[in-house]
Amino acid sequence: MQNPPTVLVVDYGAQYAQLIARRVREAQVYSEIVPAGTTVEEIVARKPAAVILSGGPSSVYAEGAPRVDPELFDAGIPVLGLCYGFQAMALALGGHVAHDGTREFGRTELTVTETAGALHGGLPAKHPVWMSHGDSVVTAPDGFTVTAGSERAAVAAFENTERRLAGVQYHPEVGHSPHGQEVLRRFLHQVAGITPGWTTSSIIDETVTAIRAQVGDGRAICGLSGGVDSAVAAALVQRAIGDQLTCVFVDHGLLRSGEREQVERDFVAATGAKLHTVDARERFLAALAGVTDPEEKRKIIGREFIRVFEAATSEVSAEEHVGFLVQGTLYPDVVESGGGSGTATIKSHHNVGGLPDDIEFALVEPLRTLFKDEVRRVGAELGLPETIVARQPFPGPGLGIRIIGEVTADRLETLRAADAIAREELTSAGLDRTIWQCPVVLLADVRSVGVQGDGRTYGHPVVLRPVSSEDAMTADWTRLPYDVLERISTRITNEVAEVNRVVLDVTSKPPGTIEWE
């Protein structure tokens, strides 16, 4: 199968580099991230359909700041510069960038010039965009037309359509720039001349082909967590290699209420896959005994998960070698685990971090380049039921990282009961599609005074963490109706004996992460 036209997003350490790639895909064009140090020769060798230069935290005049090689613009490749990439592009092409303290952060009104050009023609003469810059382009390069400005940036957009080069000072990829997606679409389809073709069907076809090429006649094993990621990964591999795949569901005791039954019923019915269930609850609890550090918990869970897999492999196929392990790793997993260029390690994840050095499987990660919305669409097209495809994200380490403190059987039962109540009430209120997910966190090492049944109690608080997001890279806390919050709180404090207080987390991401650990 022929590779799809690819847009390379050069990552200059931008907060939104992955989001740019996602927006390009929304325009039905495949995209990949490459680090800032990628040379022009390396870029040209990949024959990209276009290049997008991302934003970044640096000043173009800062020592060691990444620069754009001017030869890129003579390579005949369409290029779009965004924010820092816009400034670096202007500087490389002979324009003037002022380091004079001209700053714009947040919502800014963009004024489109009379020569609005290909990217802004027909858009409102004034419309809001999202700015985040300290330097400003004050003179466009020769041959470029200035197509927009703002109160503090006379040159907020320019383009040279003959050379298929353009740039904007703002962030078109974020939702705060309401016409930003249209600007990106115009660059990709009109300026760069890329025919849209990155669709759900093409994702499935290309992924299935890649899996067959990687696995060949080998056998694979896949761990089902009950979540959408592992289910879709398994369904894709099942589509590719059929009976060469065996799915293993590890009940590590860190699951939410009813999840084991859902996997054994819904997934098998939808795919016909071979499923082997392992009851490892006591093993995981023993390994986690006395452990309170969240990173150590993740490493232990990841280690035990692999060890159980090794044992399951022997049980499933005593005579035939199983050489491949399927995992539902997504792009955000890779980024937050330090796998993206210029990113910090925010957390480890047992899909991409904490794997033992002596792992005996080659990894098959069919979703590694996909975002959550793409995964859901793929799952739906593969025929997975709504109960799986629309399921809220759930971390691989499960409730083990939603207990702040030591993980014990009693604490798991307490959290499971509180979590089930929250999910029931959110579903009953029709809010499942409104929120991205709602972790319920047990503060096991904290006790608070309460009054229940005319008596003094000394119970645990639980935290509700409802968040809204598109891809988990950024998130805002969801403004749930007060009556729903009241029902959740009342039921938890009435029905869960160890809990006497329910609190609401109203922190966005950033600065907070979605999970507490």
Side-chain angles (χ1 to χ4, degrees):
M1 177 173 290
Q2 199 171 26
N3 291 330
T6 300
V7 171
L8 298 181
V9 178
V10 181
D11 181 6
Y12 291 124
Q15 178 183 357
Y16 301 121
Q18 311 301 324
L19 184 56
I20 297 169
R22 182 174 175 274
R23 297 303 189 207
V24 171
R25 296 185 194 186
E26 287 182 4
Q28 296 188 329
V29 177
Y30 180 65
S31 60
E32 292 182 2
I33 311 296
V34 296
T38 306
T39 66
V40 173
E41 291 77 12
E42 291 170 330
I43 291 175
V44 171
R46 296 194 56 177
K47 299 180 180 179
V51 170
I52 296 179
L53 309 176
S54 84
S58 302
S59 163
V60 290
Y61 294 109
E63 184 178 352
R67 295 295 181 96
V68 181
D69 188 335
E71 291 186 8
L72 174 64
F73 306 110
D74 294 324
I77 301 170
V79 180
L80 175 67
L82 307 179
C83 193
Y84 177 88
F86 172 67
Q87 297 171 4
M89 181 178 187
L91 201 63
L93 286 164
H96 181 211
V97 179
H99 186 51
D100 58 3
T102 301
R103 296 154 54 93
E104 288 180 312
F105 296 101
R107 188 181 187 277
T108 304
E109 188 172 76
L110 187 78
T111 301
V112 179
T113 67
E114 292 183 1
T115 52
L119 299 190
H120 296 92
L123 298 183
K126 293 182 181 293
H127 60 265
V129 296
W130 195 256
M131 292 280 198
S132 182
H133 66 99
D135 298 340
S136 296
V137 178
V138 293
T139 305
D142 289 343
F144 283 73
T145 300
V146 177
T147 59
S150 67
E151 182 180 355
R152 297 189 178 185
V155 182
F158 57 50
E159 60 186 56
N160 183 328
T161 54
E162 289 185 5
R163 297 179 65 184
R164 299 189 296 173
L165 305 177
V168 299
Q169 179 62 75
Y170 58 91
H171 287 277
E173 70 274 17
V174 302
H176 299 293
S177 297
H179 299 286
Q181 184 63 20
E182 174 64 13
V183 168
L184 288 173
R185 189 195 66 79
R186 290 182 181 189
F187 170 76
L188 297 167
H189 298 171
Q190 298 174 22
V191 177
I194 304 171
T195 300
W198 178 247
T199 63
T200 303
S201 295
S202 71
I203 292 172
I204 293 173
D205 290 343
E206 290 157 15
T207 304
V208 165
T209 298
I211 293 168
R212 287 173 179 162
Q214 180 183 4
V215 178
D217 295 329
R219 297 196 61 193
I221 191 168
C222 177
L224 291 176
S225 67
V228 61
D229 302 339
S230 64
V232 174
L236 276 168
V237 177
Q238 175 76 11
R239 173 74 64 91
I241 63 173
D243 289 343
Q244 294 168 242
L245 171 70
T246 297
C247 295
V248 172
F249 179 70
V250 177
D251 185 353
H252 49 30
L254 308 174
L255 302 169
R256 296 181 295 184
S257 179
E259 289 186 313
R260 175 170 174 171
E261 295 77 8
Q262 185 183 69
V263 170
E264 293 177 329
R265 181 187 66 241
D266 295 345
F267 177 78
V268 172
T271 64
K274 293 185 293 184
L275 179 65
H276 179 73
T277 300
V278 180
D279 189 338
R281 290 174 290 183
E282 292 185 4
R283 174 176 182 152
F284 277 81
L285 275 176
L288 290 167
V291 178
T292 59
D293 179 74
E295 286 299 302
E296 187 63 23
K297 287 183 190 177
R298 289 178 179 273
K299 290 177 181 178
I300 289 171
I301 294 168
R303 182 193 70 212
E304 294 302 315
F305 194 78
I306 294 299
R307 296 297 180 240
V308 171
F309 256 58
E310 290 172 342
T313 303
S314 299
E315 295 178 24
V316 170
S317 184
E319 297 181 359
E320 295 184 76
H321 176 66
V322 176
F324 297 90
L325 170 64
V326 180
Q327 292 194 189
T329 309
L330 303 190
Y331 232 167
D333 296 331
V334 177
V335 173
E336 292 200 349
S337 299
S341 172
T343 61
T345 298
I346 299 172
K347 66 179 182 182
S348 67
H349 188 289
H350 84 255
N351 276 354
V352 290
L355 293 173
D357 294 334
D358 60 344
I359 182 171
E360 297 181 358
F361 309 109
L363 294 182
V364 179
E365 297 177 305
L367 311 179
R368 189 178 178 87
T369 62
L370 300 184
F371 294 97
K372 181 70 78 171
D373 58 329
E374 293 175 309
V375 172
R376 293 191 195 279
R377 290 197 298 270
V378 167
E381 186 147 334
L382 288 169
L384 293 178
E386 183 79 0
T387 52
I388 292 178
V389 173
R391 187 174 182 267
Q392 291 182 12
F394 188 58
L399 299 181
I401 59 167
R402 291 184 178 175
I403 294 175
I404 309 303
E406 182 184 5
V407 178
T408 67
D410 289 343
R411 289 174 173 181
L412 283 167
E413 286 307 311
T414 296
L415 179 53
R416 235 188 303 272
D419 175 84
I421 290 169
R423 287 192 290 144
E424 287 171 10
E425 291 298 334
L426 291 172
T427 299
S428 178
L431 294 170
D432 286 342
R433 293 282 188 173
T434 301
I435 63 175
W436 173 263
Q437 66 184 118
C438 184
V440 178
V441 181
L442 176 65
L443 304 185
D445 287 346
V446 176
R447 287 189 178 270
S448 63
V449 176
V451 177
Q452 292 170 297
D454 295 327
R456 182 185 180 91
T457 62
Y458 200 46
H460 297 291
V462 295
V463 180
L464 303 181
R465 174 71 166 135
V467 294
S468 300
S469 181
E470 292 184 338
D471 48 33
M473 294 172 57
T474 60
D476 193 13
W477 65 279
T478 308
R479 277 67 170 173
L480 294 178
Y482 288 154
D483 60 332
V484 176
L485 290 171
E486 181 182 19
R487 286 197 300 273
I488 294 173
S489 177
T490 299
R491 284 194 60 193
I492 289 177
T493 53
N494 283 347
E495 299 174 30
V496 185
E498 294 298 316
V499 177
N500 67 353
R501 194 178 298 269
V502 176
V503 300
L504 180 66
D505 184 345
V506 295
T507 311
S508 297
K509 176 188 178 181
T513 55
I514 293 177
E515 299 290 346
W516 273 46
E517 289 199 340

PDB file of all heavy atoms in Angstrom, residues 124-142:
ATOM      1  N   PRO A 124     -13.907  36.954   8.642  1.00  0.00           N
ATOM      2  CA  PRO A 124     -14.279  38.267   9.182  1.00  0.00           C
ATOM      3  C   PRO A 124     -13.084  39.212   9.244  1.00  0.00           C
ATOM      4  O   PRO A 124     -11.955  38.796   9.551  1.00  0.00           O
ATOM      5  CB  PRO A 124     -14.791  37.923  10.583  1.00  0.00           C
ATOM      6  CG  PRO A 124     -15.296  36.521  10.461  1.00  0.00           C
ATOM      7  CD  PRO A 124     -14.360  35.847   9.503  1.00  0.00           C
ATOM      8  N   ALA A 125     -13.333  40.482   8.945  1.00  0.00           N
ATOM      9  CA  ALA A 125     -12.252  41.470   8.927  1.00  0.00           C
ATOM     10  C   ALA A 125     -11.562  41.570  10.276  1.00  0.00           C
ATOM     11  O   ALA A 125     -10.363  41.849  10.353  1.00  0.00           O
ATOM     12  CB  ALA A 125     -12.797  42.834   8.512  1.00  0.00           C
ATOM     13  N   LYS A 126     -12.305  41.353  11.336  1.00  0.00           N
ATOM     14  CA  LYS A 126     -11.744  41.301  12.688  1.00  0.00           C
ATOM     15  C   LYS A 126     -12.290  40.045  13.372  1.00  0.00           C
ATOM     16  O   LYS A 126     -13.498  39.820  13.382  1.00  0.00           O
ATOM     17  CB  LYS A 126     -12.122  42.538  13.503  1.00  0.00           C
ATOM     18  CG  LYS A 126     -11.497  43.843  12.988  1.00  0.00           C
ATOM     19  CD  LYS A 126     -11.896  45.015  13.883  1.00  0.00           C
ATOM     20  CE  LYS A 126     -11.297  46.335  13.379  1.00  0.00           C
ATOM     21  NZ  LYS A 126      -9.824  46.356  13.508  1.00  0.00           N
ATOM     22  N   HIS A 127     -11.404  39.242  13.912  1.00  0.00           N
ATOM     23  CA  HIS A 127     -11.855  38.054  14.645  1.00  0.00           C
ATOM     24  C   HIS A 127     -10.799  37.665  15.679  1.00  0.00           C
ATOM     25  O   HIS A 127      -9.611  37.986  15.545  1.00  0.00           O
ATOM     26  CB  HIS A 127     -12.160  36.888  13.690  1.00  0.00           C
ATOM     27  CG  HIS A 127     -10.990  36.442  12.871  1.00  0.00           C
ATOM     28  ND1 HIS A 127     -10.749  36.904  11.592  1.00  0.00           N
ATOM     29  CD2 HIS A 127     -10.006  35.551  13.125  1.00  0.00           C
ATOM     30  CE1 HIS A 127      -9.672  36.328  11.106  1.00  0.00           C
ATOM     31  NE2 HIS A 127      -9.196  35.500  12.019  1.00  0.00           N
ATOM     32  N   PRO A 128     -11.226  36.955  16.734  1.00  0.00           N
ATOM     33  CA  PRO A 128     -10.295  36.621  17.818  1.00  0.00           C
ATOM     34  C   PRO A 128      -9.352  35.487  17.442  1.00  0.00           C
ATOM     35  O   PRO A 128      -9.722  34.561  16.707  1.00  0.00           O
ATOM     36  CB  PRO A 128     -11.234  36.196  18.954  1.00  0.00           C
ATOM     37  CG  PRO A 128     -12.460  35.693  18.264  1.00  0.00           C
ATOM     38  CD  PRO A 128     -12.608  36.528  17.030  1.00  0.00           C
ATOM     39  N   VAL A 129      -8.135  35.572  17.945  1.00  0.00           N
ATOM     40  CA  VAL A 129      -7.144  34.504  17.817  1.00  0.00           C
ATOM     41  C   VAL A 129      -6.424  34.380  19.160  1.00  0.00           C
ATOM     42  O   VAL A 129      -6.558  35.236  20.038  1.00  0.00           O
ATOM     43  CB  VAL A 129      -6.120  34.798  16.696  1.00  0.00           C
ATOM     44  CG1 VAL A 129      -6.790  34.844  15.340  1.00  0.00           C
ATOM     45  CG2 VAL A 129      -5.359  36.096  16.971  1.00  0.00           C
ATOM     46  N   TRP A 130      -5.645  33.310  19.293  1.00  0.00           N
ATOM     47  CA  TRP A 130      -4.912  33.074  20.542  1.00  0.00           C
ATOM     48  C   TRP A 130      -3.437  33.346  20.302  1.00  0.00           C
ATOM     49  O   TRP A 130      -2.785  32.684  19.506  1.00  0.00           O
ATOM     50  CB  TRP A 130      -5.117  31.636  21.009  1.00  0.00           C
ATOM     51  CG  TRP A 130      -4.701  31.401  22.431  1.00  0.00           C
ATOM     52  CD1 TRP A 130      -3.569  30.774  22.867  1.00  0.00           C
ATOM     53  CD2 TRP A 130      -5.426  31.770  23.604  1.00  0.00           C
ATOM     54  NE1 TRP A 130      -3.534  30.736  24.234  1.00  0.00           N
ATOM     55  CE2 TRP A 130      -4.667  31.341  24.723  1.00  0.00           C
ATOM     56  CE3 TRP A 130      -6.633  32.423  23.825  1.00  0.00           C
ATOM     57  CZ2 TRP A 130      -5.098  31.540  26.033  1.00  0.00           C
ATOM     58  CZ3 TRP A 130      -7.049  32.621  25.139  1.00  0.00           C
ATOM     59  CH2 TRP A 130      -6.288  32.185  26.215  1.00  0.00           C
ATOM     60  N   MET A 131      -2.922  34.366  20.991  1.00  0.00           N
ATOM     61  CA  MET A 131      -1.522  34.761  20.844  1.00  0.00           C
ATOM     62  C   MET A 131      -0.710  34.313  22.056  1.00  0.00           C
ATOM     63  O   MET A 131      -1.246  34.178  23.168  1.00  0.00           O
ATOM     64  CB  MET A 131      -1.407  36.280  20.725  1.00  0.00           C
ATOM     65  CG  MET A 131      -1.972  36.876  19.443  1.00  0.00           C
ATOM     66  SD  MET A 131      -0.814  36.690  18.064  1.00  0.00           S
ATOM     67  CE  MET A 131      -1.483  37.930  16.933  1.00  0.00           C
ATOM     68  N   SER A 132       0.581  34.107  21.852  1.00  0.00           N
ATOM     69  CA  SER A 132       1.496  33.803  22.946  1.00  0.00           C
ATOM     70  C   SER A 132       2.920  34.081  22.471  1.00  0.00           C
ATOM     71  O   SER A 132       3.668  33.187  22.092  1.00  0.00           O
ATOM     72  CB  SER A 132       1.348  32.347  23.388  1.00  0.00           C
ATOM     73  OG  SER A 132       2.192  32.056  24.479  1.00  0.00           O
ATOM     74  N   HIS A 133       3.304  35.378  22.483  1.00  0.00           N
ATOM     75  CA  HIS A 133       4.636  35.714  21.965  1.00  0.00           C
ATOM     76  C   HIS A 133       5.198  36.952  22.654  1.00  0.00           C
ATOM     77  O   HIS A 133       4.460  37.824  23.106  1.00  0.00           O
ATOM     78  CB  HIS A 133       4.583  35.932  20.443  1.00  0.00           C
ATOM     79  CG  HIS A 133       3.785  37.134  20.013  1.00  0.00           C
ATOM     80  ND1 HIS A 133       4.372  38.334  19.684  1.00  0.00           N
ATOM     81  CD2 HIS A 133       2.447  37.311  19.864  1.00  0.00           C
ATOM     82  CE1 HIS A 133       3.440  39.208  19.336  1.00  0.00           C
ATOM     83  NE2 HIS A 133       2.263  38.610  19.434  1.00  0.00           N
ATOM     84  N   GLY A 134       6.530  36.989  22.709  1.00  0.00           N
ATOM     85  CA  GLY A 134       7.230  38.130  23.261  1.00  0.00           C
ATOM     86  C   GLY A 134       7.940  38.942  22.199  1.00  0.00           C
ATOM     87  O   GLY A 134       8.085  40.156  22.319  1.00  0.00           O
ATOM     88  N   ASP A 135       8.429  38.286  21.142  1.00  0.00           N
ATOM     89  CA  ASP A 135       9.024  38.986  19.996  1.00  0.00           C
ATOM     90  C   ASP A 135       7.943  39.220  18.947  1.00  0.00           C
ATOM     91  O   ASP A 135       6.873  38.608  18.998  1.00  0.00           O
ATOM     92  CB  ASP A 135      10.153  38.151  19.377  1.00  0.00           C
ATOM     93  CG  ASP A 135      11.298  37.925  20.359  1.00  0.00           C
ATOM     94  OD1 ASP A 135      11.398  38.686  21.335  1.00  0.00           O
ATOM     95  OD2 ASP A 135      12.074  36.973  20.138  1.00  0.00           O
ATOM     96  N   SER A 136       8.229  40.075  17.978  1.00  0.00           N
ATOM     97  CA  SER A 136       7.252  40.368  16.921  1.00  0.00           C
ATOM     98  C   SER A 136       7.946  40.541  15.585  1.00  0.00           C
ATOM     99  O   SER A 136       9.032  41.118  15.506  1.00  0.00           O
ATOM    100  CB  SER A 136       6.464  41.643  17.243  1.00  0.00           C
ATOM    101  OG  SER A 136       5.688  41.489  18.404  1.00  0.00           O
ATOM    102  N   VAL A 137       7.297  40.070  14.532  1.00  0.00           N
ATOM    103  CA  VAL A 137       7.773  40.333  13.180  1.00  0.00           C
ATOM    104  C   VAL A 137       7.342  41.747  12.809  1.00  0.00           C
ATOM    105  O   VAL A 137       6.155  42.075  12.852  1.00  0.00           O
ATOM    106  CB  VAL A 137       7.185  39.321  12.171  1.00  0.00           C
ATOM    107  CG1 VAL A 137       7.656  39.656  10.750  1.00  0.00           C
ATOM    108  CG2 VAL A 137       7.582  37.896  12.540  1.00  0.00           C
ATOM    109  N   VAL A 138       8.301  42.601  12.475  1.00  0.00           N
ATOM    110  CA  VAL A 138       7.968  43.987  12.135  1.00  0.00           C
ATOM    111  C   VAL A 138       8.105  44.248  10.635  1.00  0.00           C
ATOM    112  O   VAL A 138       7.517  45.199  10.111  1.00  0.00           O
ATOM    113  CB  VAL A 138       8.839  44.986  12.927  1.00  0.00           C
ATOM    114  CG1 VAL A 138       8.501  44.920  14.407  1.00  0.00           C
ATOM    115  CG2 VAL A 138      10.324  44.728  12.707  1.00  0.00           C
ATOM    116  N   THR A 139       8.877  43.411   9.957  1.00  0.00           N
ATOM    117  CA  THR A 139       9.012  43.538   8.503  1.00  0.00           C
ATOM    118  C   THR A 139       8.956  42.156   7.884  1.00  0.00           C
ATOM    119  O   THR A 139       9.737  41.271   8.256  1.00  0.00           O
ATOM    120  CB  THR A 139      10.347  44.202   8.119  1.00  0.00           C
ATOM    121  OG1 THR A 139      10.469  45.459   8.795  1.00  0.00           O
ATOM    122  CG2 THR A 139      10.405  44.428   6.605  1.00  0.00           C
ATOM    123  N   ALA A 140       8.041  41.984   6.940  1.00  0.00           N
ATOM    124  CA  ALA A 140       7.920  40.692   6.267  1.00  0.00           C
ATOM    125  C   ALA A 140       9.069  40.501   5.293  1.00  0.00           C
ATOM    126  O   ALA A 140       9.636  41.480   4.786  1.00  0.00           O
ATOM    127  CB  ALA A 140       6.588  40.605   5.530  1.00  0.00           C
ATOM    128  N   PRO A 141       9.460  39.285   4.987  1.00  0.00           N
ATOM    129  CA  PRO A 141      10.526  39.040   4.001  1.00  0.00           C
ATOM    130  C   PRO A 141      10.118  39.569   2.624  1.00  0.00           C
ATOM    131  O   PRO A 141       8.930  39.696   2.310  1.00  0.00           O
ATOM    132  CB  PRO A 141      10.653  37.516   3.991  1.00  0.00           C
ATOM    133  CG  PRO A 141      10.042  37.051   5.282  1.00  0.00           C
ATOM    134  CD  PRO A 141       8.956  38.030   5.590  1.00  0.00           C
ATOM    135  N   ASP A 142      11.087  39.851   1.821  1.00  0.00           N
ATOM    136  CA  ASP A 142      10.814  40.310   0.455  1.00  0.00           C
ATOM    137  C   ASP A 142       9.983  39.265  -0.292  1.00  0.00           C
ATOM    138  O   ASP A 142      10.234  38.067  -0.194  1.00  0.00           O
ATOM    139  CB  ASP A 142      12.129  40.539  -0.300  1.00  0.00           C
ATOM    140  CG  ASP A 142      12.888  41.756   0.207  1.00  0.00           C
ATOM    141  OD1 ASP A 142      12.258  42.587   0.886  1.00  0.00           O
ATOM    142  OD2 ASP A 142      14.112  41.854  -0.050  1.00  0.00           O
TER     143      ASP A 142
END
